[in-house]
Amino acid sequence: MELRILRYFLTVAREENITRAASILHITQPTLSRQLMQMEEDLGVKLFQRSRHCILLTEEGMLLYRRAQEIINLADKTEKELAHGVETISGEIAIGCGETQNMNPLCRIIADFRQQYPDVTFDIYTAIADDVKERLESGVLDIGLLMEPVEISRYHFIRMPLKEKWHILLRKDSPLAEKEEITPNDLAEVPLIVAKRLSVRNELENWFGRMAEQMHVVSTCNLSHNNQSVMVENGVGVALVMEFSCSSDVLCLRPLKPEVMSGCVLVWKKNQTLSPAVVKFTAYARQCLESGISFKNAK
C-alpha cells in the first residue's frame, strides 16, 4: 500500500467530501475516486459509506484510518530524521504523556535542552499509559512519561521526582465534602468515576480492601480533568483523580485515607535504534533528573 494512497485516504476521511479532498490534493475528482475504489478492491473491504452529500467511514474504514495515521506519522518522522543526518543534532522528538505534575520538571528539561540544541523540536502526545506504550511499540513515539503502576520491563527508564497523590473530586454540597479525608467506608455504594486503565482500577480495589465489593463504578474516564469535573458537577458521581489545581466554585478535592501515592517514569524502548536527538535528550534528562538541577523549582 503506497504512502501516497494512504494520504489520499486520510484526506477524504477528514473532509468527508470527494470534491474538497481532490481540491486539497490537487488531483481530479475522478482520479481520486478511482484510487479509493482500487484501495477497497485491493483490501477486499468497503471503506466508505457514500451518499449524495458526504462520504463517511465504515467500521473497517475507521480501523484503517487509525492505522494509516500511525503509518504516515512514522514515515514523516523517519524522513525528518534522515534529512537532518547524523552530524547535526536536530529533528523532532515525540513524547507521549498523561496528565501529571511531572510535566513540570520534564518541560524544564526540554527548555534547557533546547538552549543547547535549538534545532530540536518536540511533539507532545497526551494519552493514558496503555495508549502511549502502544505508540512506543509502533515507533510513532520516541519517549513516554508513564504513570505507575505500569509494566516497564521492555524499556529503559528514569524515575521522575514528583509523587502524585490521589484525591476524590466531589461537589462542595456533598456530605463527603465536610470530611478532611475520604476512607473506603465513606465511598461504599457511592457512584464512582474512575480511570479506564485496569491497573489503576486494581490499585483502587486494593485500597478499598474488604470494602471492594461495595465499589459502585458508574463510569470510566480516559483522561482530562475537565471532563471529569463536568461529570462530577452534573451529578454523575465522584471522581478518583490525581491532585490538581481545582479553582471551581462548585467542586473540591479531598485526599484518600490511607493515602495513595503514584510514581512516574520516563521510558524509551530497549534494543531500538534511536535518532541522535533522542540519544542526546535521554542522556541529558538522566543527568538532570539524577542531579536535580532542572527541576529544583518545579511545582
Side-chain angles (χ1 to χ4, degrees):
M1 192 180 301
E2 297 181 36
L3 291 177
R4 174 176 58 87
I5 305 302
L6 284 179
R7 294 183 194 277
Y8 288 176
F9 168 77
L10 289 172
T11 303
V12 173
R14 285 192 293 266
E15 294 300 317
E16 297 183 353
N17 183 280
I18 289 284
T19 302
R20 285 199 303 269
S23 177
I24 292 171
L25 295 167
H26 304 293
I27 60 177
T28 65
Q29 181 176 334
T31 298
L32 181 56
S33 296
R34 282 197 302 272
Q35 295 282 8
L36 295 179
M37 287 188 287
Q38 185 63 52
M39 174 184 278
E40 289 178 315
E41 184 177 332
D42 292 343
L43 295 174
V45 295
K46 189 174 182 180
L47 299 173
F48 294 100
Q49 187 68 47
R50 296 166 174 83
S51 71
R52 291 182 59 187
H53 304 292
C54 66
I55 179 169
L56 301 175
L57 291 174
T58 62
E59 288 188 11
E60 293 81 2
M62 286 187 282
L63 173 61
L64 179 60
Y65 184 83
R66 291 193 296 271
R67 294 292 182 252
Q69 283 186 308
E70 293 179 358
I71 293 169
I72 293 299
N73 288 341
L74 184 58
D76 290 344
K77 184 174 181 297
T78 303
E79 285 182 8
K80 289 179 182 177
E81 291 172 354
L82 292 174
H84 289 296
V86 297
E87 298 299 326
T88 303
I89 303 302
S90 57
E92 182 180 86
I93 299 175
I95 302 178
C97 58
E99 291 179 330
T100 165
Q101 296 181 65
N102 281 287
M103 279 300 292
N104 284 299
L106 178 59
C107 287
R108 290 180 182 274
I109 293 170
I110 290 173
D112 290 350
F113 184 79
R114 291 203 71 256
Q115 291 293 318
Q116 299 182 46
Y117 303 102
D119 292 331
V120 175
T121 60
F122 290 81
D123 177 41
I124 305 299
Y125 173 79
T126 305
I128 61 174
D130 295 341
D131 291 339
V132 171
K133 287 175 66 177
E134 182 178 336
R135 286 175 173 257
L136 284 169
E137 291 298 320
S138 67
V140 175
L141 293 176
D142 300 303
I143 299 170
L145 181 63
L146 306 179
M147 289 297 305
E148 296 179 304
V150 65
E151 171 57 47
I152 56 173
S153 61
R154 294 171 59 86
Y155 304 98
H156 297 291
F157 71 93
I158 312 169
R159 194 160 297 283
M160 298 298 289
L162 304 180
K163 291 286 188 178
E164 304 279 355
K165 188 173 183 179
W166 287 89
H167 284 64
I168 292 295
L169 178 67
L170 67 163
R171 289 177 58 96
K172 290 181 178 179
D173 58 8
S174 166
L176 291 178
E178 298 176 6
K179 295 178 173 288
E180 293 185 2
E181 298 172 312
I182 304 298
T183 68
N185 284 336
D186 294 328
L187 295 178
E189 302 301 335
V190 173
L192 291 174
I193 302 164
V194 302
K196 193 175 184 68
R197 287 179 60 203
L198 182 59
S199 57
V200 174
R201 294 182 66 177
N202 289 339
E203 286 286 302
L204 179 58
E205 289 184 4
N206 291 336
W207 178 78
F208 263 92
R210 61 184 178 80
M211 302 292 295
E213 291 184 359
Q214 294 179 264
M215 285 176 56
H216 182 39
V217 176
V218 297
S219 176
T220 57
C221 192
N222 187 348
L223 272 180
S224 175
H225 290 144
N226 181 61
N227 287 341
Q228 290 168 320
S229 298
V230 171
M231 294 176 76
V232 174
E233 187 171 334
N234 284 279
V236 176
V238 302
L240 182 74
V241 299
M242 297 291 187
E243 185 177 10
F244 69 100
S245 179
C246 180
S247 57
S248 169
D249 293 331
V250 178
L251 306 177
C252 62
L253 288 168
R254 294 292 182 268
L256 301 180
K257 181 182 180 181
E259 72 176 19
V260 179
M261 305 289 287
S262 291
C264 192
V265 286
L266 192 70
V267 307
W268 60 98
K269 279 190 69 178
K270 294 178 180 177
N271 305 318
Q272 177 169 299
T273 302
L274 304 174
S275 71
V278 175
V279 171
K280 286 284 187 182
F281 180 76
T282 52
Y284 185 73
R286 186 182 295 280
Q287 175 188 343
C288 291
L289 290 167
E290 290 177 352
S291 66
I293 293 174
S294 286
F295 55 86
K296 60 185 177 181
N297 296 320
K299 298 179 179 179

